[in-house]
């Protein structure tokens, strides 16, 4: 699975959009970009994933560049409850052995 | 639906003691996983079970054994606990390829003295 690079931390103002970047310059054509987050002391929570098209769900939007070497997770209206560590993960979708490799992630602090 | 449940929530062991961490899911998922998370670090995969009756090693399997008891339950055993195994342990499940995201339990906080 391709490695990812994320900023160690970032702050965001409550009510504003939070844009979380991720670099995955060695991504292969069959690898997906996944985003998870982990709120303090809880298990990780799935947010969104995509292959090459932009994706949106009730939690966030995922923008993947045309060359697929980087992506941005957008939380449209950050709330204090969005304070968490956000993990960008790149991996192939196997039918069996659906493994995730977690890196350091980005620690996001939403401030009032 | 309870999702993924783990027991116990907290555990303190002495070096050399053994214990089993329990995990169960009620989503009828085929795949289940055990991860550990050390302070300030990301999660690392210990073992996984792609389907009932199969188990495979992950990134850090040494010192652990697993049992996929049935489709619902996947246990992790520490035969002789060591201080290096002090960590938070998370269980997860998924249903590839239909739903590839993993659903995580609340974790077990283990301290080995």
């Amino acid at each position: 699975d391709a490695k990812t690079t994320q900023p160690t931390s970032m702050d965001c103002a409550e009510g504003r959009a939070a844009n979380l970047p991720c670099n995955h310059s060695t991504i292969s054509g069959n690898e997906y970009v996944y985003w998870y987050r982990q709120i303090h002391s809880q298990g990780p929570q799935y947010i969104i994933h995509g292959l090459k098209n932009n994706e949106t769900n009730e939690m966030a939007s995922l923008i993947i560049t045309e060359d697929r070497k980087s992506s941005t997770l957008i939380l449209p209206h950050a709330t204090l409850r969005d304070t968490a560590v956000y993990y960008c993960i790149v991996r192939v979708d196997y039918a069996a052995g659906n493994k995730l490799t977690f890196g350091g992630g980005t620690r996001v602090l939403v401030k009032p | 639906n309870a999702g993924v449940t783990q027991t116990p929530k907290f555990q303190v062991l002495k070096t050399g003691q053994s214990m089993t961490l329990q995990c169960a899911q009620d989503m009828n998922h085929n795949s289940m996983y055990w991860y550990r998370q050390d302070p300030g670090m990301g999660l690392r995969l210990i073992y996984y079970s792609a389907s009932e009756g199969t188990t495979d090693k992950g990134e850090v399997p040494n010192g652990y054994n697993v049992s996929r008891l049935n489709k619902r339950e996947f246990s992790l055993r520490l035969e002789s606990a060591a201080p290096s195994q002090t960590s938070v342990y998370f269980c997860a499940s998924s249903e590839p390829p239909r739903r590839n995201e993993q659903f995580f339990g609340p974790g077990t906080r283990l301290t080995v003295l």
Side-chain angles (χ1 to χ4, degrees):
Chain A
D1 294 338
K3 285 192 174 179
T4 62
T5 304
Q6 299 177 251
T8 305
S9 64
M10 63 183 293
D11 293 345
C12 175
E14 186 180 19
R16 306 293 288 266
N19 296 307
L20 283 63
C22 179
N23 266 301
H24 31 79
S25 58
T26 61
I27 192 169
S28 301
N30 60 348
E31 287 181 313
Y32 287 72
V33 180
Y34 274 74
W35 283 85
Y36 281 75
R37 73 180 182 183
Q38 188 174 23
I39 296 170
H40 181 63
S41 298
Q42 298 181 20
Q45 177 189 23
Y46 165 82
I47 301 173
I48 198 167
H49 76 283
L51 183 62
K52 49 184 159 183
N53 296 324
N54 297 337
E55 303 286 345
T56 296
N57 63 21
E58 64 278 3
M59 289 182 68
S61 294
L62 174 61
I63 309 297
I64 302 174
T65 58
E66 193 168 339
D67 63 7
R68 303 209 323 121
K69 292 183 186 298
S70 65
S71 60
T72 301
L73 178 75
I74 301 172
L75 307 177
H77 305 287
T79 71
L80 298 179
R81 287 175 293 183
D82 291 323
T83 291
V85 178
Y86 288 76
Y87 295 98
C88 170
I89 298 165
V90 173
R91 67 168 181 75
V92 179
D93 265 0
Y94 289 118
N98 191 19
K99 297 173 282 185
L100 292 172
T101 301
F102 287 81
T106 297
R107 190 171 298 274
V108 173
L109 176 62
V110 180
K111 296 181 174 179
Chain B
N1 277 354
V4 179
T5 57
Q6 294 183 234
T7 55
K9 286 188 168 53
F10 300 93
Q11 184 70 49
V12 178
L13 293 178
K14 294 181 179 177
T15 297
Q17 286 185 317
S18 62
M19 79 159 296
T20 300
L21 281 64
Q22 307 286 354
C23 173
Q25 51 91 9
D26 62 2
M27 296 173 282
N28 203 35
H29 287 169
N30 275 311
S31 299
M32 297 185 73
Y33 315 82
W34 276 107
Y35 294 87
R36 62 176 286 176
Q37 185 173 34
D38 299 332
M41 307 282 287
L43 280 73
R44 292 183 293 170
L45 183 66
I46 305 171
Y47 270 93
Y48 68 98
S49 170
S51 61
E52 188 178 353
T54 69
T55 60
D56 283 286
K57 294 178 181 179
E59 183 185 355
V60 288
N62 290 345
Y64 304 96
N65 285 304
V66 290
S67 295
R68 184 73 184 267
L69 305 169
N70 47 55
K71 192 171 184 180
R72 287 188 66 246
E73 299 171 288
F74 188 37
S75 64
L76 179 72
R77 183 161 178 84
L78 286 71
E79 290 291 352
S80 179
S84 60
Q85 294 178 304
T86 293
S87 191
V88 181
Y89 291 84
F90 290 102
C91 177
S93 71
S94 68
E95 184 60 18
R98 184 175 62 87
R99 291 285 303 271
N100 277 322
E101 65 266 35
Q102 293 185 13
F103 295 84
F104 285 80
T108 293
R109 281 147 187 80
L110 175 67
T111 301
V112 183
L113 302 175

